[in-house]
Amino acid sequence: MVVSEPARQTALSVIRWPFAAAKSAVQLLISLPVLPHLSQERDRLQADLIRQQEELARLREALRQSQQAQLLEAAHPVAAGIVASVIGRSTVPTQQTILLDKGRRHGLTPDSLILDASGVIGRVIDLQPEACLVLLLTDPDSRVAGLIERSRETGLLVGRGSGMCELIYLDIQADIQEGDRLVTAGLGGNFPKGLLLGTVVQVTRDEQSWATRALVKPAANFSRLEDVMCLPRQP
Amino acid sequence: MVRLLACIAAHALLARLLPPWTVPNLTLIGLVQASGSSPGRWLPLSLIAGLSGAMWAVEGAGPLILSYLAAGGIVRGVSGQLDTAEPRVQTMLAAALSVPLTAGWIWLDGHWSWTLAGCFLMHLVMTWCAALLLQRRSAEVSG
């Protein structure tokens, strides 16, 4: 070898710089005529990207709604329900109501039962052609007949306005304890029997009124309602 | 009017996203600000605020509208004594009016419990904080 290896490497690395600079200059000269097109191309690609991101967001939302609907149908397989989305909520904290995007035109009836995957949410109280107002279980005006799943004791579930409900009209010796699951009693035939309402968290036995009251935590999470299932009232 | 409508829209949006008692009463704040700035228009403003709340009412829509009418009327009355266009006065009025208004709604429902008392306090604190924030914003915009 004429030149030693370290000397050759040093020479090559020094020579590389002017060659690289020359190559960059030639590339720049070549690309000058297409620069305006590149700018247009970049704008087009950015617009494409934004469109695709919007499409992706739409598809994700559609997938989420589909999964929610599947969950609802899996939770209540026998019910021929209508899936609706929550589009509004009461601005008065003592009035616990929500607005759904389905109404009379979609087959809903007054007193239709509203559920989500975890249990009963409430019932329809005001019906419009394209929307309906739902009274949540936690509203003080809400009244639903309940049944303790374990002991078959029945009572009336009333809302307490603070996110909790109370089961009243129970006998002093009623067989009820903390952790018991409360389901719909199906009394009156308006609602199906056995749909989960909530769980008993506290039992109070009052000797004076000879009655028992139970504090019930609703099964549904009312602060995170998106898609729900509506069960029209049974004829 | 625009300020009140914006507050009602923001109130509806927050109510959709947050648990009921943690949502500040932006409708009341908007009503106090709008009526305070133009006391002569307190009646239509109060009616709009009342109707926006009554839209969600199960029962007691009348008392709900009346409560907002009373709030607007009080702002109109106070405007004779104080400069209700002043953001600080508006904040104090909104904070003061939120107490009887919310207590009145709870009284109308007829249910009282310690849990509800906690919710009531939380709602008041949120409303006061929102009133203060909006006062600062108003001061920034006008200043």
Side-chain angles (χ1 to χ4, degrees), chain B residues 114-130:
Chain B
W114 286 110
T115 320
L116 205 59
C119 295
F120 171 63
L121 277 178
M122 189 198 297
H123 181 68
L124 289 184
V125 170
M126 294 301 282
T127 303
W128 296 341
C129 291

Side-chain angles (χ1 to χ4, degrees), chain A:
Chain A
M1 193 170 283
V2 181
V3 186
S4 70
E5 187 61 20
R8 196 174 68 91
Q9 276 186 3
T10 311
L12 280 176
S13 57
V14 171
I15 290 166
R16 195 168 60 89
W17 291 109
F19 274 103
K23 187 190 168 198
S24 300
V26 170
Q27 276 182 336
L28 186 65
L29 281 172
I30 291 168
S31 62
L32 269 179
V34 292
L35 268 181
H37 302 291
L38 280 179
S39 169
Q40 285 171 1
E41 183 69 8
R42 193 201 60 178
D43 290 348
R44 194 185 61 77
L45 286 172
Q46 271 186 340
D48 271 359
L49 184 66
I50 291 167
R51 262 197 302 275
Q52 284 182 1
Q53 279 174 342
E54 280 174 4
E55 182 68 20
L56 186 65
R58 263 201 304 274
L59 287 173
R60 277 196 181 134
E61 182 57 20
L63 180 67
R64 189 197 60 73
Q65 282 187 341
S66 165
Q67 284 171 340
Q68 186 79 26
Q70 280 174 6
L71 271 176
L72 285 168
E73 280 171 14
H76 312 289
V78 287
I82 300 152
V83 177
S85 294
V86 179
I87 52 172
R89 190 164 185 155
S90 169
T91 53
V92 181
T94 50
Q95 305 275 352
Q96 308 222 338
T97 52
I98 55 171
L99 189 69
L100 301 183
D101 67 344
K102 296 278 173 8
R104 191 180 293 118
R105 199 164 292 171
H106 304 94
L108 291 189
T109 55
D111 278 334
S112 293
L113 197 65
I114 311 297
L115 319 148
D116 78 349
S118 47
V120 177
I121 292 167
R123 64 187 167 85
V124 171
I125 49 157
D126 188 23
L127 200 59
Q128 302 297 323
E130 297 288 348
C132 68
L133 195 63
V134 174
L135 181 70
L136 298 180
L137 281 185
T138 48
D139 187 282
D141 288 316
S142 168
R143 302 278 185 277
V144 177
L147 172 77
I148 296 294
E149 202 176 45
R150 178 184 56 83
S151 61
R152 317 311 284 173
E153 294 278 358
T154 53
L156 190 67
L157 188 72
V158 295
R160 282 292 173 250
S162 54
M164 298 295 277
C165 301
E166 197 170 31
L167 189 66
I168 57 171
Y169 299 145
L170 290 165
D171 189 76
I172 186 80
Q173 291 167 329
D175 182 7
I176 179 170
Q177 60 194 40
E178 286 172 22
D180 275 346
R181 280 159 55 95
L182 185 72
V183 296
T184 49
L187 297 176
N190 291 340
F191 303 141
K193 194 174 177 179
L195 297 171
L196 185 62
L197 289 166
T199 312
V200 175
V201 290
Q202 191 188 335
V203 178
T204 311
R205 296 184 197 273
D206 185 5
E207 298 280 347
Q208 285 181 331
S209 59
W210 202 248
T212 301
R213 307 168 82 89
L215 198 62
V216 175
K217 186 179 188 304
N221 184 351
F222 292 101
S223 57
R224 264 184 280 158
L225 295 175
E226 282 189 69
D227 294 309
V228 294
M229 180 176 270
C230 316
L231 297 184
R233 189 175 172 172
Q234 292 168 358

Side-chain angles (χ1 to χ4, degrees), chain B residues 41-130:
Chain B
R41 291 198 296 177
W42 73 275
L43 192 61
L45 291 169
S46 307
L47 274 175
I48 291 170
L51 287 170
S52 78
M55 194 173 73
W56 304 97
V58 182
E59 53 181 44
L64 197 72
I65 296 172
L66 281 177
S67 66
Y68 277 112
L69 277 172
I74 288 169
V75 176
R76 171 75 182 90
V78 171
S79 69
Q81 310 295 322
L82 297 169
D83 178 14
T84 48
E86 172 71 28
R88 199 172 296 173
V89 175
Q90 291 177 350
T91 305
M92 284 193 290
L93 269 173
L97 287 172
S98 64
V99 181
L101 201 75
T102 317
W105 293 342
I106 294 175
W107 177 73
L108 280 172
D109 265 338
H111 296 290
W112 185 258
S113 65
W114 286 110
T115 320
L116 205 59
C119 295
F120 171 63
L121 277 178
M122 189 198 297
H123 181 68
L124 289 184
V125 170
M126 294 301 282
T127 303
W128 296 341
C129 291

Side-chain angles (χ1 to χ4, degrees), chain B residues 24-26 28-30 32-33 87-96 98 123-141:
Chain B
N25 193 344
L26 293 178
L28 175 68
I29 298 170
V32 170
Q33 287 192 346
R88 199 172 296 173
V89 175
Q90 291 177 350
T91 305
M92 284 193 290
L93 269 173
S98 64
H123 181 68
L124 289 184
V125 170
M126 294 301 282
T127 303
W128 296 341
C129 291
L132 274 172
L133 279 174
L134 285 175
Q135 177 203 320
R136 251 184 228 176
R137 184 83 188 115
S138 301
E140 277 172 17
V141 169

